[in-house]
Amino acid sequence: MLPVPQLVERCRSAGMRMTPQRRAIFEFLEGNTDHPTAEAVFRAVHRRHPGISLATVYNTLDTLERLGELDRLELGGAAERFDPEVRPHQHFHCTRCGRVEDLFGDVPTPAVEGPVGCRVDRVRVQLVGLCATCRGRERPARRRGSSPQ
Amino acid sequence: MLPVPQLVERCRSAGMRMTPQRRAIFEFLEGNTDHPTAEAVFRAVHRRHPGISLATVYNTLDTLERLGELDRLELGGAAERFDPEVRPHQHFHCTRCGRVEDLFGDVPTPAVEGPVGCRVDRVRVQLVGLCATCRGRERPARRRGSSPQ
DNA sequence: GTACCTGCAAAGCGTTTGCTAATTC
DNA sequence: GAATTAGCAAACGCTTTGCAGGTAC
């Protein structure tokens, strides 16, 4: 995602109007590496703009995605997650806590070819597993008498 | 997924009971390469078992997944899709018609490392774009007078 | 002033759950 | 006979939509 001032300019050029709600969403997303859900964006922006509605958040996120300034992560699970980092990169997804981490690996495009005649627009690479924190919790040091539940 | 007879045996060994509904779902999935949704499985099985319910389909799919005999594709979009092919492979996903094709590429695991200390259980590679058919429809041969709508 | 946008509420969709009756073993 | 499973329907979570009023330009 562009820095907010330039992003605002881009939006205006695209014929969009700059509302305080949109600006607040932009500011929350800028530099955010949490890959928030729409709900999370809503909660955060709601603090400063108590009147904002979830529908507006969805609208703005859709708009940013259409402009190519935001990625929608297809990680499965209930809620969609959004990523203001649109440069090519991959993701690590912890199945226990849901945390998503950016990975800027060496080999973004694996040597896999699509079906004959198709057009490949994007290659999505997702590493799925347990993050360091959850690994510790999953396999706790066995102590006498204690058993995990 | 195992062939049905062996799958049935596995299920029984796991303490599960073999109902006609389950067997019908197994038979529909065997060799299926369409990556059907739960809804699609339901529609197909419903023809022979008009009494079956969606909940039963979901239950059975969950069970198969837990046994490792079925993969749940996290492709985003509304409905989850299921894959009886559980050997490591990738997918091509057409964003226009939704078709999903299996890809058994040369390099299943891209040279990307997970975050320090994490445990990577699975690497998911998805190629996203337009299939050959949709490519033709998306960019139709320009003819005089005709314009795409 | 005129679109576009917001907020609200309701609807939509896919999935899960709670319960009773039926079935498998 | 005992315990799992099926069916039904309602509840659920996330997202989208329709509309009336408000706001940026």
Side-chain angles (χ1 to χ4, degrees):
Chain A
M1 208 179 82
L2 291 169
V4 173
Q6 289 145 50
L7 182 57
V8 167
E9 214 38 59
R10 246 211 98 185
C11 289
R12 273 200 238 267
S13 307
M16 295 170 47
R17 297 185 175 168
M18 280 314 304
T19 64
Q21 294 89 339
R22 284 191 174 166
R23 185 182 289 272
I25 294 173
F26 293 177
E27 283 166 358
F28 170 72
L29 287 176
E30 184 172 35
N32 184 302
T33 58
D34 288 346
H35 311 84
T37 61
E39 179 75 32
V41 175
F42 172 73
R43 278 201 309 273
V45 175
H46 188 264
R47 279 184 229 129
R48 288 165 171 264
H49 293 261
I52 199 174
S53 77
L54 244 182
T56 298
V57 172
Y58 277 108
N59 276 336
T60 304
L61 295 177
D62 287 350
T63 302
L64 281 177
E65 192 192 3
R66 220 173 316 116
L67 287 175
E69 296 289 345
L70 189 68
D71 272 351
R72 184 185 296 259
L73 271 46
E74 315 277 22
L75 292 171
E80 214 57 81
R81 306 185 65 154
F82 297 87
D83 190 352
E85 176 57 82
V86 293
R87 290 172 297 186
H89 66 291
Q90 289 76 243
H91 293 105
F92 171 82
H93 185 203
C94 176
T95 49
R96 193 171 182 273
C97 68
R99 159 196 279 272
V100 177
E101 294 184 42
D102 288 319
L103 299 173
F104 292 89
D106 315 316
V107 186
T109 49
V112 175
E113 296 228 344
V116 184
C118 76
R119 188 187 78 199
V120 176
D121 294 324
R122 202 143 52 106
V123 177
R124 203 181 273 148
V125 178
Q126 298 169 356
L127 281 65
V128 182
L130 284 184
C131 70
T133 308
C134 288
R135 237 179 125 182
R137 289 189 182 136
E138 193 86 341
R139 217 186 330 141
R142 257 61 167 187
R143 292 161 179 263
R144 51 204 156 89
S146 80
S147 64
Q149 49 173 346
Chain B
M1 207 178 83
L2 290 171
V4 173
Q6 288 146 51
L7 182 56
V8 167
E9 213 38 59
R10 246 212 98 185
C11 289
R12 274 199 237 267
S13 306
M16 295 170 47
R17 296 183 177 171
M18 279 314 304
T19 64
Q21 293 89 339
R22 282 190 173 165
R23 184 182 289 271
I25 294 172
F26 292 178
E27 285 166 357
F28 171 72
L29 287 176
E30 184 172 35
N32 185 302
T33 57
D34 288 345
H35 310 85
T37 61
E39 179 77 29
V41 175
F42 172 73
R43 279 200 310 271
V45 174
H46 188 264
R47 280 184 228 128
R48 287 166 170 266
H49 293 263
I52 200 173
S53 77
L54 244 182
T56 298
V57 172
Y58 276 109
N59 276 336
T60 303
L61 295 176
D62 287 350
T63 303
L64 281 177
E65 193 193 3
R66 222 175 313 116
L67 287 174
E69 296 289 344
L70 189 68
D71 272 351
R72 185 184 296 260
L73 271 47
E74 315 277 21
L75 292 170
E80 214 57 81
R81 305 185 65 155
F82 296 87
D83 191 353
E85 176 56 82
V86 293
R87 290 173 297 187
H89 66 290
Q90 290 76 241
H91 293 105
F92 171 81
H93 187 201
C94 176
T95 48
R96 194 172 183 273
C97 67
R99 158 195 280 273
V100 177
E101 294 183 43
D102 288 320
L103 298 173
F104 291 90
D106 314 317
V107 185
T109 49
V112 175
E113 297 228 345
V116 183
C118 76
R119 187 186 80 198
V120 176
D121 295 324
R122 202 142 52 104
V123 177
R124 204 181 275 150
V125 179
Q126 298 168 356
L127 280 66
V128 182
L130 284 183
C131 71
T133 307
C134 287
R135 235 180 126 181
R137 291 190 183 135
E138 192 85 342
R139 218 189 325 144
R142 257 62 166 187
R143 292 161 180 263
R144 49 203 157 91
S146 79
S147 66
Q149 48 173 357

